[in-house]
Amino acid sequence: MTSKDIAAEIRAYVVAEYLAGEDASDLTGDYALIDNGVIDSLGLIRLISHLTETYQVSFDDIEFGPDNFRSLDAIVELVKTNSAATTAA
Amino acid sequence: MPSPCLADAVAVHGVHRPHRTALVFNDRTVTYGELIELTQDYRGRLIELELPAGSTVCVPAHKSPETIALLLAAFHEGLVVLAPAPDLGAAALARLSQQARATHVLTATDVLTAEPVEGDETAAAGFSKADPKRTCLLLTTSGSTGTPKIVPIAATGFDAFAAWATAEFALSADDVALSYAPLNFDLALLDIWTFLQLGAQVVLVDQGKATDGAYVHAQVADHDVTFVQGVPMLYRLLTEAGTTFPSVREVIFTGDSVPAALLEPVSVDFPKARFHNIFGCTETNDSFIYEVDPAKLNGKMPIGRPIAGTDALVSEAGELLVATPFQTDGYLNSTLNADTFTVIDGRTFYRTGDLVTRDDDGLYSLQGRADWQVKVRGVRTNLQEVEQVISAHPEVLEAVVVPLPDEQAGVRLHAHVSRHPSSTLTSLRLRSHAGEHLPRHAIPTSVHITDVPLPRTSTGKPDRNLIKSNRLKEILT
């Protein structure tokens, strides 16, 4: 998977999961997902489980906090740096 | 904290039992000796600020050993600490600081930073200056407005509360508390401050990991916790694994009504524990207690009986009024006090806004709210206030916020918003606006923006019930 594919997949997941039925055309890479309540603490658990399954990111080994998930850009960066499935991309 | 006695007691533990553990935070252990050392460092920094005696400072309540040491340092220095939620928006934090006439916003990490607050007498109009002789801690109600109500915690009230809790739960220096709630909640008066006063140990749950079941489970299991206090969601997380916690001898339910389905797993997983439901709020601290026998309880859990020294009254409309030995002297915004506090037979009662019934045995049960309050993830949230914040966006014509049932959160909020005809407002931009003025739990989980006028009842008001049932139908299909 290229990083562009990853960004597109994660964006699609966030839109489908947390913004269902809403106009997400202005969802930019730096939009504050956590500060603005799109992803709450329970939603974060679902997101982590999705990323774990899709990208084989092992969150057990990473020192992570809500800041790592603050925006789409941050999430993509986290996945790119830590995913077993994208090391060649 | 809430009292000079507490700061002194902790200092004495630092001398007499310096190697005993005071705080556990993630992989860190902080002994009483280290806590006192940290506190002394911060005292030095506070003295350098040359604040007038009895000044108020604002310390966003990041849950960490550093923040706890900073609060202790401030109490030693005779300062009053305003301790709001750490995730409060910048605009709301600034306004709150101005209202309380705080001189600085202080943050403690490796170093202590002090940002001066620009005073604003217009913002502070109607607010009293906190009296350092009567209080050293200002908490805010967990209400949802951009500017929560500021509640001075009475120093003598805290001392009375710590004495009550110590006796009621037979607490000693050998106990270990799990502190699950945020540091700015009144629950910390028991599971952090009372325990530190006793020289006992406190395991701080990192707020960033509070919904991570495996992490929370490990905090209880790995540190031989004896005392657990929390909202029902905590117990759902702890019982997920189906393992037992034999070290726990006291389990406190609080903050929200306990679902019946949770009782059996809880009674199995805490085989050595006594169970209590505690009812209270920031204004009065705890007022009702009920010892629960999970095996025998059928149906809804009552809030029980008034705790020693508390008087309870039920108004004609069914609203609960309480007077506790622990309660505040009144909101800092004194204009709110006449509506909320009322003197009956010489004692000041707080109107809880909760509707209750009392059975023949004298047990009280909650029946709902007299106002617009709901609980989102255990946090009291006023729907009307959320609506007001959303409606204040210049492109919003009208907004309605309804609570939807949610298996995990208890309740989540849905906003139905009509925008101005020429507006291109999106739900994301509206969330940014909400994020600036509301704490996170009060930002609606879903936002529907429409150009169609809101549906109306026959009296011309927005039809909240129809909006709610339409949304529920939409989710189910």
Side-chain angles (χ1 to χ4, degrees):
Chain A
M1 244 188 186
T2 68
S3 73
K4 216 171 151 187
D5 292 338
I6 296 174
E9 194 281 335
I10 291 174
R11 187 178 196 283
Y13 178 82
V14 167
V15 169
E17 197 69 20
Y18 310 106
L19 296 167
E22 297 183 24
D23 174 5
S25 54
D26 55 350
L27 177 61
T28 51
D30 61 351
Y31 186 83
L33 295 170
I34 294 196
D35 282 348
N36 293 327
V38 173
I39 301 179
D40 64 16
S41 52
L42 296 165
L44 194 54
I45 300 291
R46 299 207 308 276
L47 176 66
I48 290 171
S49 127
H50 170 78
L51 297 176
T52 309
E53 281 167 28
T54 314
Y55 301 104
Q56 287 97 53
V57 180
S58 171
F59 286 95
D60 294 342
D61 305 332
I62 309 171
E63 257 307 305
F64 72 92
D67 197 48
N68 296 106
F69 303 92
R70 67 186 178 277
S71 64
L72 287 175
D73 289 346
I75 299 168
V76 171
E77 191 52 40
L78 181 75
V79 168
K80 270 166 50 189
T81 332
N82 295 288
S83 166
T86 58
T87 41
Chain B
M1 95 137 123
S3 89
C5 298
L6 167 71
D8 290 342
V10 177
V12 170
H13 297 316
V15 175
H16 289 309
R17 47 180 74 200
H19 303 299
R20 292 274 298 235
T21 300
L23 301 168
V24 175
F25 186 52
N26 293 326
D27 297 329
R28 257 175 87 193
T29 295
V30 178
T31 63
Y32 274 93
E34 289 164 339
L35 181 60
I36 292 318
E37 204 175 309
L38 197 54
T39 302
Q40 292 298 359
D41 281 357
Y42 290 143
R43 286 182 75 174
R45 283 284 287 121
L46 289 175
I47 290 167
E48 284 167 25
L49 289 175
E50 296 183 341
L51 303 171
S55 295
T56 298
V57 291
C58 174
V59 179
H62 296 280
K63 199 173 174 186
S64 69
E66 283 73 18
T67 309
I68 289 171
L70 174 55
L71 291 178
L72 288 169
F75 302 144
H76 277 294
E77 294 307 315
L79 301 172
V80 180
V81 178
L82 168 70
D87 59 358
L88 202 63
L93 179 69
R95 194 155 56 237
L96 209 53
S97 300
Q98 289 167 340
Q99 290 173 341
R101 297 185 171 84
T103 60
H104 292 79
V105 176
L106 305 178
T107 317
T109 49
D110 290 340
V111 290
L112 189 148
T113 58
E115 288 285 326
V117 174
E118 205 174 309
D120 184 338
E121 278 308 311
T122 318
F127 287 77
S128 327
K129 161 89 180 64
D131 178 358
K133 289 196 191 66
R134 302 188 59 86
T135 181
C136 37
L137 180 70
L138 310 177
L139 294 182
T140 56
T141 50
S142 45
S144 58
T145 51
T147 50
K149 296 174 194 164
I150 303 171
V151 184
I153 303 299
T156 53
F158 170 75
D159 291 339
F161 174 72
W164 168 76
T166 303
E168 178 72 37
F169 305 114
L171 303 176
S172 76
D174 295 327
D175 275 302
V176 182
L178 181 79
S179 161
Y180 185 70
L183 181 58
N184 52 295
F185 279 31
D186 56 85
L187 299 181
L189 298 175
L190 175 51
D191 59 30
I192 296 180
W193 300 110
T194 298
F195 275 69
L196 290 181
Q197 174 148 322
L198 285 167
Q201 183 177 328
V202 179
V203 178
L204 300 169
V205 170
D206 187 334
Q207 289 312 117
K209 302 180 190 169
T211 52
D212 178 342
Y215 165 80
V216 178
H217 187 284
Q219 301 311 304
V220 179
D222 296 353
H223 302 295
D224 291 327
V225 164
T226 63
F227 180 99
V228 182
Q229 170 178 248
V231 289
M233 191 178 81
L234 166 64
Y235 297 102
R236 218 172 288 141
L237 290 171
L238 288 176
T239 54
E240 261 171 9
T243 55
T244 60
F245 303 98
S247 62
V248 176
R249 60 174 191 81
E250 184 64 54
V251 164
I252 310 262
F253 303 111
T254 190
D256 212 341
S257 59
V258 180
L262 199 55
L263 291 172
E264 200 209 326
V266 165
S267 70
V268 172
D269 289 1
F270 296 93
K272 303 258 175 70
R274 285 202 310 166
F275 299 88
H276 285 95
N277 187 79
I278 290 188
F279 171 83
C281 59
T282 309
E283 289 86 344
T284 64
N285 206 334
D286 296 336
S287 56
F288 277 72
I289 187 163
Y290 178 68
E291 180 158 4
V292 188
D293 182 344
K296 287 195 188 139
L297 186 69
N298 290 311
K300 210 174 142 186
M301 192 183 300
I303 58 170
R305 299 174 207 280
I307 67 182
T310 292
D311 284 327
L313 298 170
V314 182
S315 76
E316 264 178 47
E319 185 184 358
L320 176 67
L321 283 75
V322 296
T324 75
F326 324 132
Q327 70 195 16
T328 181
D329 293 335
Y331 297 117
L332 218 52
N333 182 352
S334 47
T335 56
L336 299 172
N337 289 332
D339 284 343
T340 315
F341 297 92
T342 172
V343 178
I344 299 168
D345 291 340
R347 196 166 185 195
T348 302
F349 283 76
Y350 167 73
R351 304 174 55 133
T352 63
D354 291 303
L355 301 174
V356 295
T357 52
R358 185 173 178 269
D359 72 10
D360 295 340
D361 298 327
L363 281 179
Y364 289 71
S365 292
L366 286 180
Q367 304 298 336
R369 289 290 301 182
D371 53 23
W372 293 80
Q373 314 249 12
V374 295
K375 288 225 169 176
V376 180
R377 300 200 290 278
V379 184
R380 201 166 70 181
T381 307
N382 186 313
L383 295 173
Q384 209 168 28
E385 292 169 352
V386 180
E387 280 182 8
Q388 282 163 5
V389 165
I390 291 180
S391 304
H393 189 284
E395 293 177 60
V396 168
L397 211 53
E398 211 171 12
V400 161
V401 174
V402 293
L404 303 178
D406 183 275
E407 206 175 294
Q408 287 185 300
V411 157
R412 64 198 161 80
L413 304 184
H414 172 69
H416 188 96
V417 178
S418 64
R419 62 184 176 191
H420 280 288
S422 58
S423 162
T424 56
L425 181 67
T426 63
S427 62
L428 287 164
R429 274 165 54 211
L430 193 55
R431 276 194 181 83
S432 302
H433 167 79
E436 271 172 48
H437 299 280
L438 294 170
R440 278 190 208 141
H441 65 88
I443 304 174
T445 305
S446 52
V447 179
H448 178 72
I449 299 211
T450 174
D451 293 313
V452 180
L454 301 188
R456 304 262 158 202
T457 63
S458 56
T459 56
K461 293 181 180 150
D463 192 340
R464 291 187 161 74
N465 289 333
L466 185 66
I467 289 169
K468 185 172 169 180
S469 66
N470 283 349
R471 177 67 188 180
L472 284 171
K473 267 185 242 157
E474 230 176 270
I475 299 169
L476 293 172
T477 50

